[in-house]
Amino acid sequence: MKRFVDLAELPREEVPALLELAERLQREPEPRALAGKILGLLFLNPSLRTLASFQAGMARLGGSSFVITPGQGTWQLETRPGVVMDGAAAEHAREGIPVLASYCDALGIRAFADGRDLAADLAETTFNALAALVDKPLINLESAVNHPCQALADWKTLEDFGVPRRGRLVLSWAYHPRPLPLAVPSAVLHMAALRGMEVVVLRPEGFALPPSIMDKARRAAALSGGSVRESEDRREAIAGAHIVYAKEWGATACYGDAAEEARRRAGLTGWCVRNEWFEPAARECRLMHCLPVRRNVAVADEVLDGPRSIVRRQAYNRLPVQMAVLYRLLKGL
Ligand code: CP
C-alpha cells in the first residue's frame, strides 16, 4: 500500500486485511514494529481524535511523530495557487509540504472543504494539490469529501457489534447551527455500501448528497450486493434499521450561499436524534456518530448516554485501524 487516501482506491481484499491486522495488533502488540520511523501530521483544520490517535498509534508501534498546525507556533501556510502572498501567510505549501515530507517517512494531511464552490470541493482540488507535493506515503486525515480513517474505524465498529453485513444503516442528517462538510457522510455512505449494507440516506429537502457521491456509493453497492437509496420519511427509513448514523452537513441545494443556508436550516432544529426516533427500528439498533457532536442539538443526551450509543467505541477504533494503516504503509507487510 503506497497511500491511504480513499477506501475506493484500495484493492477489494485490502479492507478485510487491514481490519484483520488491526485485530492482530490489538491482540498481539508490536511495540518495536516501527522503531526509527517518523510520521508527520499536517493539520490545516482542528482535530481531537485524528490528532491524538495517530500520535498514540505511532508511539504504540515504537515510532514517533511531529504535528504542524500552521499559524499556531509555525508559519501560516498558503495553499491557493498563484496568489500574491501579501497577507498573513508567510509560507506556501509548495515549499512547506515538500520540506515537511523530507523530515518523515509518511505524511498525513487534513484539509477540509472550502465550502464555497461545490464542484471544486467534490473534485478534492485542495487536497489533491497538496498531495501532489508529497513524495512519501500519504494519509488522508480528512479532505473535502472523504475521511477514510473514520470510515475504516466505523467498519471495524460494525464488525465489533456484529451488525449484519446485509443490515440496514440509516445515514441521517442531523441539525447543526453551521453547514458542516460532506466528508464524513460521503465516506460513511461509501463504506456501508462497500460492506454490502442496505443504506438509506435520510435527509430534509435541499440536503441531498451530490449525485457524484451517491453514484460512487452505488458503484460500491453493485460490487458488494448492497443497496443505496434516499428518503425524507424518518419512520419509513428507520423501520427495521440496525444502525442510525447521525451526521450534520450543509445544504447542497445552496452550497456556499450562507444566507440561504441559514434560512433553510432554521426550521430544522427538530432533526436532533432522540430515543423516540428508534421506535420503528430493530430492537438492537445502535446510534453512531463520528464525533465531535453537539449534545441536544444533533443528538440528545438520552441517546448519547443510553445503551444504543456506540460513539465512544467508534472513536476508540480509530487507534487500532490507523495502527494497521501505519504498519502497512511503513513496514509494508
Ligand atoms: N471524527 C474525527 O475525525 O474527529 P476529529 O475531528 O476530532 O479528529
Side-chain angles (χ1 to χ4, degrees):
M1 194 166 76
K2 296 270 190 297
R3 60 184 214 159
F4 186 75
V5 168
D6 182 349
L7 292 193
E9 276 189 5
L10 303 179
R12 191 94 194 272
E13 64 282 2
E14 188 66 50
V15 170
L18 283 168
L19 294 176
E20 205 176 298
L21 178 55
E23 287 290 336
R24 196 189 88 204
L25 291 171
Q26 278 183 292
R27 213 174 41 243
E28 301 162 22
E30 293 192 33
R32 303 290 302 155
L34 298 186
K37 300 289 187 186
I38 298 173
L39 172 68
L41 295 163
L42 173 61
F43 282 89
L44 299 175
N45 311 96
S47 169
L48 185 149
R49 278 143 291 274
T50 309
L51 174 65
S53 57
F54 265 108
Q55 288 186 286
M58 205 57 194
R60 284 190 186 282
L61 290 168
S64 56
S65 54
F66 64 80
V67 177
I68 299 292
T69 50
Q72 295 177 36
T74 56
W75 305 116
Q76 276 202 27
L77 205 57
E78 179 59 72
T79 58
R80 294 168 297 170
V83 293
V84 177
M85 287 178 55
D86 56 0
E91 178 144 29
H92 200 283
R94 292 183 68 81
E95 285 75 46
I97 288 188
V99 167
L100 290 175
S102 74
Y103 300 149
C104 59
D105 300 290
L107 185 68
I109 299 178
R110 170 167 279 198
F112 284 179
D114 182 52
R116 284 184 287 233
D117 180 342
L118 181 57
D121 285 342
L122 289 172
E124 295 281 21
T125 307
T126 301
F127 185 85
N128 287 342
L130 302 181
L133 301 168
V134 180
D135 61 354
K136 298 279 171 68
L138 174 68
I139 305 171
N140 181 349
L141 306 178
E142 186 173 338
S143 58
V145 290
N146 218 325
H147 197 349
C149 298
Q150 184 67 51
L152 192 60
D154 291 343
W155 190 319
K156 183 175 186 310
T157 307
L158 294 168
E159 299 298 327
D160 288 352
F161 282 89
V163 177
R165 278 295 166 98
R166 296 279 182 254
R168 181 183 290 194
L169 182 146
V170 178
L171 172 62
S172 176
W173 188 86
Y175 181 77
H176 190 282
R178 288 186 294 110
L180 296 193
L182 298 168
V184 171
S186 308
V188 168
L189 171 63
H190 176 262
M191 175 278 295
L194 196 60
R195 189 173 179 265
M197 301 186 77
E198 179 195 351
V199 192
V200 185
V201 182
L202 171 64
R203 72 325 179 252
E205 192 190 342
F207 290 81
L209 293 174
S212 62
I213 289 173
M214 296 299 295
D215 288 347
K216 179 179 173 183
R218 288 200 173 99
R219 285 194 297 277
L223 285 175
S224 66
S227 64
V228 173
R229 67 180 176 87
E230 296 174 89
S231 177
E232 290 180 31
D233 180 341
R234 184 181 305 153
R235 202 168 177 85
E236 174 277 322
I238 296 180
H242 297 84
I243 296 289
V244 173
Y245 197 118
K247 187 66 194 89
E248 315 84 337
W249 67 82
T252 45
C254 56
Y255 199 84
D257 180 343
E260 176 60 14
E261 233 289 332
R263 192 192 66 73
R264 280 179 184 260
R265 70 179 48 244
L268 298 172
T269 53
W271 286 71
C272 173
V273 182
R274 301 189 180 282
N275 275 340
E276 68 191 40
W277 282 38
F278 293 86
E279 279 165 17
R283 193 176 50 81
E284 69 279 16
C285 183
R286 309 278 188 168
L287 178 278
M288 295 178 76
H289 189 288
C290 65
L291 304 182
V293 63
R294 287 186 182 231
R295 281 176 170 256
N296 305 309
V297 172
V299 185
D301 282 346
E302 64 189 19
V303 182
L304 284 168
D305 297 331
R308 294 192 187 279
S309 174
I310 54 174
V311 300
R312 288 191 200 166
R313 182 63 159 266
Q314 285 177 262
Y316 166 73
N317 275 337
R318 296 289 301 275
L319 180 63
V321 302
Q322 289 164 193
M323 285 170 66
V325 168
L326 291 167
Y327 196 100
R328 294 277 286 146
L329 285 175
L330 293 172
K331 213 169 160 65
L333 300 173

PDB file of all heavy atoms in Angstrom, residues 46-50 110 142 147 150 290-292 318, ligand 1:
ATOM      1  N   PRO A  46      -8.877  21.973  12.732  1.00  0.00           N
ATOM      2  CA  PRO A  46      -8.783  21.402  14.088  1.00  0.00           C
ATOM      3  C   PRO A  46      -9.120  19.912  14.140  1.00  0.00           C
ATOM      4  O   PRO A  46      -9.742  19.356  13.232  1.00  0.00           O
ATOM      5  CB  PRO A  46      -9.837  22.195  14.883  1.00  0.00           C
ATOM      6  CG  PRO A  46     -10.157  23.383  14.064  1.00  0.00           C
ATOM      7  CD  PRO A  46      -9.918  23.006  12.641  1.00  0.00           C
ATOM      8  N   SER A  47      -8.708  19.287  15.233  1.00  0.00           N
ATOM      9  CA  SER A  47      -8.964  17.860  15.446  1.00  0.00           C
ATOM     10  C   SER A  47      -8.768  17.520  16.915  1.00  0.00           C
ATOM     11  O   SER A  47      -8.005  18.178  17.619  1.00  0.00           O
ATOM     12  CB  SER A  47      -7.980  17.040  14.609  1.00  0.00           C
ATOM     13  OG  SER A  47      -8.015  15.676  14.964  1.00  0.00           O
ATOM     14  N   LEU A  48      -9.420  16.480  17.361  1.00  0.00           N
ATOM     15  CA  LEU A  48      -9.118  15.863  18.653  1.00  0.00           C
ATOM     16  C   LEU A  48      -8.712  14.405  18.403  1.00  0.00           C
ATOM     17  O   LEU A  48      -7.593  13.994  18.647  1.00  0.00           O
ATOM     18  CB  LEU A  48     -10.322  15.941  19.596  1.00  0.00           C
ATOM     19  CG  LEU A  48     -10.106  15.430  21.026  1.00  0.00           C
ATOM     20  CD1 LEU A  48     -10.981  16.196  22.025  1.00  0.00           C
ATOM     21  CD2 LEU A  48     -10.413  13.951  21.164  1.00  0.00           C
ATOM     22  N   ARG A  49      -9.648  13.602  17.838  1.00  0.00           N
ATOM     23  CA  ARG A  49      -9.432  12.174  17.656  1.00  0.00           C
ATOM     24  C   ARG A  49      -8.307  11.861  16.665  1.00  0.00           C
ATOM     25  O   ARG A  49      -7.420  11.044  16.953  1.00  0.00           O
ATOM     26  CB  ARG A  49     -10.722  11.500  17.151  1.00  0.00           C
ATOM     27  CG  ARG A  49     -11.716  11.185  18.238  1.00  0.00           C
ATOM     28  CD  ARG A  49     -13.134  11.400  17.744  1.00  0.00           C
ATOM     29  NE  ARG A  49     -13.351  12.823  17.544  1.00  0.00           N
ATOM     30  CZ  ARG A  49     -13.747  13.637  18.526  1.00  0.00           C
ATOM     31  NH1 ARG A  49     -14.044  13.178  19.689  1.00  0.00           N
ATOM     32  NH2 ARG A  49     -13.882  14.945  18.313  1.00  0.00           N
ATOM     33  N   THR A  50      -8.345  12.490  15.502  1.00  0.00           N
ATOM     34  CA  THR A  50      -7.370  12.156  14.462  1.00  0.00           C
ATOM     35  C   THR A  50      -5.953  12.492  14.933  1.00  0.00           C
ATOM     36  O   THR A  50      -5.020  11.697  14.773  1.00  0.00           O
ATOM     37  CB  THR A  50      -7.726  12.921  13.168  1.00  0.00           C
ATOM     38  OG1 THR A  50      -9.111  12.685  12.876  1.00  0.00           O
ATOM     39  CG2 THR A  50      -6.884  12.466  12.003  1.00  0.00           C
ATOM     40  N   ARG A 110      -4.627  16.987   6.798  1.00  0.00           N
ATOM     41  CA  ARG A 110      -6.056  17.317   6.951  1.00  0.00           C
ATOM     42  C   ARG A 110      -6.308  18.655   6.277  1.00  0.00           C
ATOM     43  O   ARG A 110      -5.685  19.662   6.617  1.00  0.00           O
ATOM     44  CB  ARG A 110      -6.450  17.390   8.429  1.00  0.00           C
ATOM     45  CG  ARG A 110      -7.841  17.962   8.643  1.00  0.00           C
ATOM     46  CD  ARG A 110      -8.386  17.766  10.043  1.00  0.00           C
ATOM     47  NE  ARG A 110      -8.932  16.420  10.189  1.00  0.00           N
ATOM     48  CZ  ARG A 110      -9.776  16.061  11.169  1.00  0.00           C
ATOM     49  NH1 ARG A 110     -10.164  16.942  12.076  1.00  0.00           N
ATOM     50  NH2 ARG A 110     -10.229  14.825  11.242  1.00  0.00           N
ATOM     51  N   GLU A 142      -8.622  13.726   6.579  1.00  0.00           N
ATOM     52  CA  GLU A 142      -9.945  14.267   6.245  1.00  0.00           C
ATOM     53  C   GLU A 142      -9.766  15.371   5.224  1.00  0.00           C
ATOM     54  O   GLU A 142      -9.128  16.385   5.474  1.00  0.00           O
ATOM     55  CB  GLU A 142     -10.761  14.795   7.442  1.00  0.00           C
ATOM     56  CG  GLU A 142     -12.181  15.192   6.994  1.00  0.00           C
ATOM     57  CD  GLU A 142     -13.141  15.577   8.112  1.00  0.00           C
ATOM     58  OE1 GLU A 142     -12.915  15.172   9.287  1.00  0.00           O
ATOM     59  OE2 GLU A 142     -14.101  16.304   7.822  1.00  0.00           O
ATOM     60  N   HIS A 147     -13.071  10.853   4.362  1.00  0.00           N
ATOM     61  CA  HIS A 147     -12.451  10.654   5.672  1.00  0.00           C
ATOM     62  C   HIS A 147     -12.246   9.135   5.826  1.00  0.00           C
ATOM     63  O   HIS A 147     -12.948   8.467   6.579  1.00  0.00           O
ATOM     64  CB  HIS A 147     -13.361  11.211   6.773  1.00  0.00           C
ATOM     65  CG  HIS A 147     -12.663  11.423   8.089  1.00  0.00           C
ATOM     66  ND1 HIS A 147     -11.404  10.942   8.354  1.00  0.00           N
ATOM     67  CD2 HIS A 147     -13.060  12.066   9.216  1.00  0.00           C
ATOM     68  CE1 HIS A 147     -11.061  11.287   9.589  1.00  0.00           C
ATOM     69  NE2 HIS A 147     -12.041  11.971  10.133  1.00  0.00           N
ATOM     70  N   GLN A 150     -11.903   7.496   9.353  1.00  0.00           N
ATOM     71  CA  GLN A 150     -13.177   7.356  10.056  1.00  0.00           C
ATOM     72  C   GLN A 150     -13.969   6.185   9.486  1.00  0.00           C
ATOM     73  O   GLN A 150     -14.549   5.380  10.228  1.00  0.00           O
ATOM     74  CB  GLN A 150     -13.989   8.659   9.919  1.00  0.00           C
ATOM     75  CG  GLN A 150     -15.287   8.647  10.708  1.00  0.00           C
ATOM     76  CD  GLN A 150     -15.041   8.619  12.206  1.00  0.00           C
ATOM     77  OE1 GLN A 150     -14.293   9.426  12.728  1.00  0.00           O
ATOM     78  NE2 GLN A 150     -15.659   7.674  12.914  1.00  0.00           N
ATOM     79  N   CYS A 290     -19.557  10.269  14.300  1.00  0.00           N
ATOM     80  CA  CYS A 290     -18.089  10.295  14.237  1.00  0.00           C
ATOM     81  C   CYS A 290     -17.452  11.136  15.331  1.00  0.00           C
ATOM     82  O   CYS A 290     -16.266  10.992  15.596  1.00  0.00           O
ATOM     83  CB  CYS A 290     -17.656  10.810  12.874  1.00  0.00           C
ATOM     84  SG  CYS A 290     -18.139  12.521  12.580  1.00  0.00           S
ATOM     85  N   LEU A 291     -18.228  12.018  15.950  1.00  0.00           N
ATOM     86  CA  LEU A 291     -17.739  12.994  16.929  1.00  0.00           C
ATOM     87  C   LEU A 291     -16.784  13.990  16.240  1.00  0.00           C
ATOM     88  O   LEU A 291     -16.085  13.589  15.327  1.00  0.00           O
ATOM     89  CB  LEU A 291     -17.062  12.338  18.123  1.00  0.00           C
ATOM     90  CG  LEU A 291     -17.904  11.300  18.895  1.00  0.00           C
ATOM     91  CD1 LEU A 291     -17.105  10.763  20.095  1.00  0.00           C
ATOM     92  CD2 LEU A 291     -19.238  11.871  19.349  1.00  0.00           C
ATOM     93  N   PRO A 292     -16.727  15.238  16.692  1.00  0.00           N
ATOM     94  CA  PRO A 292     -17.448  15.786  17.842  1.00  0.00           C
ATOM     95  C   PRO A 292     -18.944  15.965  17.553  1.00  0.00           C
ATOM     96  O   PRO A 292     -19.329  16.185  16.409  1.00  0.00           O
ATOM     97  CB  PRO A 292     -16.784  17.156  18.055  1.00  0.00           C
ATOM     98  CG  PRO A 292     -16.313  17.556  16.701  1.00  0.00           C
ATOM     99  CD  PRO A 292     -15.907  16.280  16.008  1.00  0.00           C
ATOM    100  N   ARG A 318     -10.501   4.248  16.027  1.00  0.00           N
ATOM    101  CA  ARG A 318      -9.571   4.998  15.187  1.00  0.00           C
ATOM    102  C   ARG A 318      -8.140   4.522  15.451  1.00  0.00           C
ATOM    103  O   ARG A 318      -7.318   4.472  14.537  1.00  0.00           O
ATOM    104  CB  ARG A 318      -9.698   6.509  15.481  1.00  0.00           C
ATOM    105  CG  ARG A 318     -11.068   7.113  15.141  1.00  0.00           C
ATOM    106  CD  ARG A 318     -11.288   7.190  13.645  1.00  0.00           C
ATOM    107  NE  ARG A 318     -10.276   7.979  13.002  1.00  0.00           N
ATOM    108  CZ  ARG A 318     -10.311   9.308  12.890  1.00  0.00           C
ATOM    109  NH1 ARG A 318     -11.348   9.976  13.332  1.00  0.00           N
ATOM    110  NH2 ARG A 318      -9.330   9.964  12.276  1.00  0.00           N
TER     111      ARG A 318
HETATM  112  N1   CP B   1     -14.062  12.176  13.854  1.00  0.00           N
HETATM  113  C1   CP B   1     -12.937  12.922  13.756  1.00  0.00           C
HETATM  114  O1   CP B   1     -12.229  12.925  12.749  1.00  0.00           O
HETATM  115  O2   CP B   1     -12.655  13.623  14.883  1.00  0.00           O
HETATM  116  P1   CP B   1     -11.617  14.836  14.943  1.00  0.00           P
HETATM  117  O3   CP B   1     -12.151  15.915  14.027  1.00  0.00           O
HETATM  118  O4   CP B   1     -11.624  15.259  16.389  1.00  0.00           O
HETATM  119  O5   CP B   1     -10.279  14.369  14.503  1.00  0.00           O
END
